[in-house]
Amino acid sequence: MFIDVLIAVLALLALYAAASVRVVNQYERGVVLRFGRLRERSRTPGLTAIVPGVDRMRKVSLQIITMPVPAQEGVTRDNVTVRVDAVVYFNVTDPQRAVINVEDYRFAMGQVAQASLRSIIGKSDLDDLLSDREKLNQGLEVMIDSPALNWGVHIDRVEIKDVALPEAMKRSIARQAEAERERRSRIISADGEFQASRKLSEAASVMSDTPAALQLRLLETVVEVAAEKNSTLVLPFPVELLRFVEQDRGGNGAGGSASESAPEHDSETAPPPAAGAATETSAPADSASPAEEVGSGQPRDELPAQRVPEGRTRTGPS
């Protein structure tokens, strides 16, 4: 009989020990409530004991929790509708506050993250969402961290993952980027042409002082074209060469003016022709000859030509 009682007592003690012993992992802390009242000290990792039926222990993980924020649709400050999703990294720093001050800190953090994300969308421009995400991440982290401090939760970092734009806005952004690239290319091309024109102007000024340099440049161009083994060779003829030839002719014309004036003087002082020389005189245009009067019935062009013998003088009616 005594042995049976002893065995029963030992069984009860074993059950009591099994019900009172708890194992707390290294990344956890145990928050104990005795008759619903919070114990001041949290249970550290390892084996710990509680009073069964009196104490109630809740384990809180101190690991960093990765919580994705569902995509939130909103209108930016420049009236563009976007969908933005993010991810929040946080961990519990005060287990007692996480248990006492909030019912479910994970659900609360998710709701605060969604509301803060919608708020940050309305306060930002589209360009900021696309290019300046670091600043938005910091602002979103501050907005989420403010209520999380009272819950014993620390926000490690917040990042915006993706910004979904409407198809029409994507096409507009693509056209804008294409126009910007075209503008840059035109500016670069115009700048190159401007620099090349300045160099060509300097080269032209140097070649104008030494005409032989222009000839050498022309020959060099011919050599470059002929190196390609073309069947047709186009030889440019520079205008400066014509000017050089014109200047050369102008310098030689001063010496030949005296020789040209001499024949004119000789023609003025030449003696009259001899008596037997053949001369030809024409009647005035307004006086008609007898031949023209006889044949006035037909045009002048159709009249037979009159041949004047050699050595005779053709004169009008006496």
Side-chain angles (χ1 to χ4, degrees):
M1 181 70 181
F2 178 75
I3 296 175
D4 294 337
V5 173
L6 182 60
I7 293 174
V9 171
L10 291 177
L12 291 176
L13 290 176
L15 291 175
Y16 180 81
S20 62
V21 174
R22 296 287 187 274
V23 177
V24 180
N25 297 321
Q26 183 65 38
Y27 55 87
E28 295 177 338
R29 296 294 183 271
V31 179
V32 179
L33 299 175
R34 178 167 294 177
F35 294 110
R37 188 179 183 86
L38 178 66
R39 301 290 293 177
E40 295 181 358
R41 187 177 61 87
S42 298
R43 301 302 172 90
T44 57
L47 287 175
T48 184
I50 61 174
V51 180
V54 177
D55 295 340
R56 185 170 61 89
M57 188 177 69
R58 181 175 176 181
K59 298 178 182 179
V60 179
S61 176
L62 302 183
Q63 291 177 319
I64 294 180
I65 301 173
T66 303
M67 184 181 64
V69 182
Q72 302 297 313
E73 185 173 355
V75 180
T76 61
R77 191 166 56 182
D78 50 355
N79 299 325
V80 179
T81 302
V82 295
R83 290 178 61 88
V84 182
D85 56 351
V87 59
V88 181
Y89 302 90
F90 66 93
N91 65 323
V92 177
T93 57
D94 192 346
Q96 295 182 354
R97 285 188 179 184
V99 173
I100 301 301
N101 293 349
V102 62
E103 180 181 3
D104 187 355
Y105 65 90
R106 295 197 180 193
F107 179 76
M109 288 297 301
Q111 296 300 314
V112 170
Q114 294 180 25
S116 301
L117 183 57
R118 287 194 298 268
S119 178
I120 206 70
I121 291 173
K123 295 179 181 179
S124 305
D125 296 331
L126 179 61
D127 294 338
D128 296 336
L129 289 174
L130 297 177
S131 60
D132 196 7
R133 293 190 180 182
E134 288 295 331
K135 183 179 179 180
L136 296 180
N137 293 339
Q138 294 177 2
L140 189 59
E141 180 179 349
V142 171
M143 294 178 66
I144 300 176
D145 193 47
S146 298
L149 291 176
N150 296 327
W151 303 337
V153 177
H154 170 69
I155 304 299
D156 186 68
R157 62 186 304 178
V158 181
E159 290 186 359
I160 296 176
K161 292 197 301 183
D162 187 23
V163 179
L165 299 176
E167 293 297 329
M169 182 57 62
K170 290 181 181 179
R171 290 193 295 268
S172 300
I173 293 176
R175 288 195 299 267
Q176 180 183 359
E178 185 179 357
E180 179 66 21
R181 293 294 181 182
E182 185 69 20
R183 182 185 67 86
R184 292 182 182 178
S185 64
R186 290 185 178 181
I187 290 176
I188 295 174
S189 178
D191 189 16
E193 291 180 358
F194 175 71
Q195 295 179 6
S197 63
R198 294 184 61 180
K199 294 298 182 181
L200 289 175
S201 177
E202 295 176 0
S205 63
V206 173
M207 290 183 180
S208 62
D209 296 337
T210 55
L214 182 61
Q215 299 298 325
L216 294 176
R217 181 61 182 144
L218 177 59
L219 295 177
E220 183 180 357
T221 305
V222 172
V223 170
E224 292 178 357
V225 174
E228 299 179 0
K229 299 181 181 179
N230 296 325
S231 59
T232 303
L233 179 61
V234 179
L235 182 62
F237 196 76
V239 180
E240 286 76 5
L241 184 59
L242 295 177
R243 294 177 181 174
F244 177 75
V245 174
E246 183 179 358
Q247 292 176 1
D248 190 13
R249 291 182 60 185
N252 296 332
S257 60
S259 61
E260 292 178 357
S261 60
E264 295 179 358
H265 181 72
D266 296 341
S267 63
E268 293 179 358
T269 58
T279 58
E280 181 178 358
T281 59
S282 60
D286 54 352
S287 60
S289 60
E292 293 177 353
E293 294 178 359
V294 172
S296 60
Q298 64 184 62
R300 182 182 300 178
D301 298 336
E302 297 179 0
L303 293 178
Q306 298 180 1
R307 186 174 181 181
V308 180
E310 296 181 359
R312 295 186 180 181
T313 303
R314 180 181 176 182
T315 57
S318 54

